[in-house]
Amino acid sequence: PALQPSNIHEYLTHTIPSNLRSRYKWGFRKDFTIPYGVVHLKEKKHWRKGRTIISYFQSLSGNLLRITSRALDIILQHLLPQHPGQLSIPQLWSHFHCYLTATPPDIPLHATNDDLVGFFNSVPQQRLVDAVISLCHRWKAQHNTTTITIDVQSTGNPIQHSHIGRHYIHHPQQRTLDTQHIPLIVQQALHSCIFQACNTYYKQIQGAGIGSQLSPALCNVAITLIEHTWQTTYHTFLQQPSLH
């Protein structure tokens, strides 16, 4: 839906809960920029259609969302380390080749090219929030602490550059996040998905924010938990005596 351009900055600032603002002062920018949208037109569509891209560069809570995204990746790799969504591309190809090798030749296999068009804005926001809450509850049940310390400038495997709990060797490039605040951060991010395009302001009310630093990890959490639940219930279902 379109929004009035007046007081957009004030509206976005008021979406931040006071406890998050006081706890994570480093996560918010005072001189922030409202996300803006551009469209890359496609030649193969005769320039009639394009891919929408929203830039969250220097946005209000970009720093906090980037650390939260990293924390979600860490939690997922700790709780579900063998899930396909946590594998690298070479590992995925290796698993795929092993599957093809182990499949009997009399079983027909078919390939389906299913493009994930509009994936981010097709996932209901409540499902995203519920998935994060479930993940944080699992983390709290398995650890004696709810805090994670993350190296801001680290790249690659997030586990190698993070600490469970508070890291007392203070470093300017390390940030500590309380996992109990992650659902609140996610809700704040979803409620403030406002961007500008063609001199008009819009608020995204369906799915994760397109272009947000948090969206890839957030959608990965929702899909990973659904697939993990399906895998566990599927094997339980096959073990029923009635199916023997």
Side-chain angles (χ1 to χ4, degrees), residues 3-13 32 34 194 201:
L3 302 175
Q4 297 298 325
S6 60
N7 300 326
I8 293 293
H9 284 75
E10 182 179 356
Y11 171 81
L12 288 174
T13 303
F32 65 92
I34 297 177
I194 295 178
Y201 291 93

Side-chain angles (χ1 to χ4, degrees), residues 56 120 125 189-190 193 204 206-216 218:
Y56 275 73
F120 276 11
Q125 291 187 346
L190 294 176
C193 291
Q204 184 179 334
Q206 177 72 16
I210 303 175
S212 172
Q213 298 89 337
L214 183 63
S215 295
L218 186 58

Side-chain angles (χ1 to χ4, degrees), residues 83-157:
H83 192 274
Q86 314 307 325
L87 301 177
S88 64
I89 297 300
Q91 290 173 328
L92 283 174
W93 277 114
S94 177
H95 281 229
F96 180 65
H97 284 290
C98 291
Y99 172 77
L100 293 179
T101 303
T103 303
D106 57 332
I107 296 181
L109 297 176
H110 301 276
T112 302
N113 184 14
D114 190 4
D115 190 10
L116 295 177
V117 177
F119 174 69
F120 276 11
N121 36 343
S122 65
V123 184
Q125 291 187 346
Q126 191 57 49
R127 177 178 295 180
L128 297 173
V129 175
D130 291 342
V132 171
I133 293 176
S134 175
L135 189 72
C136 292
H137 284 171
R138 294 189 185 194
W139 175 267
K140 185 178 180 180
Q142 294 190 19
H143 296 81
N144 295 326
T145 179
T146 60
T147 57
I148 298 178
T149 303
I150 302 169
D151 189 343
V152 177
Q153 294 185 340
S154 65
T155 58
N157 191 333

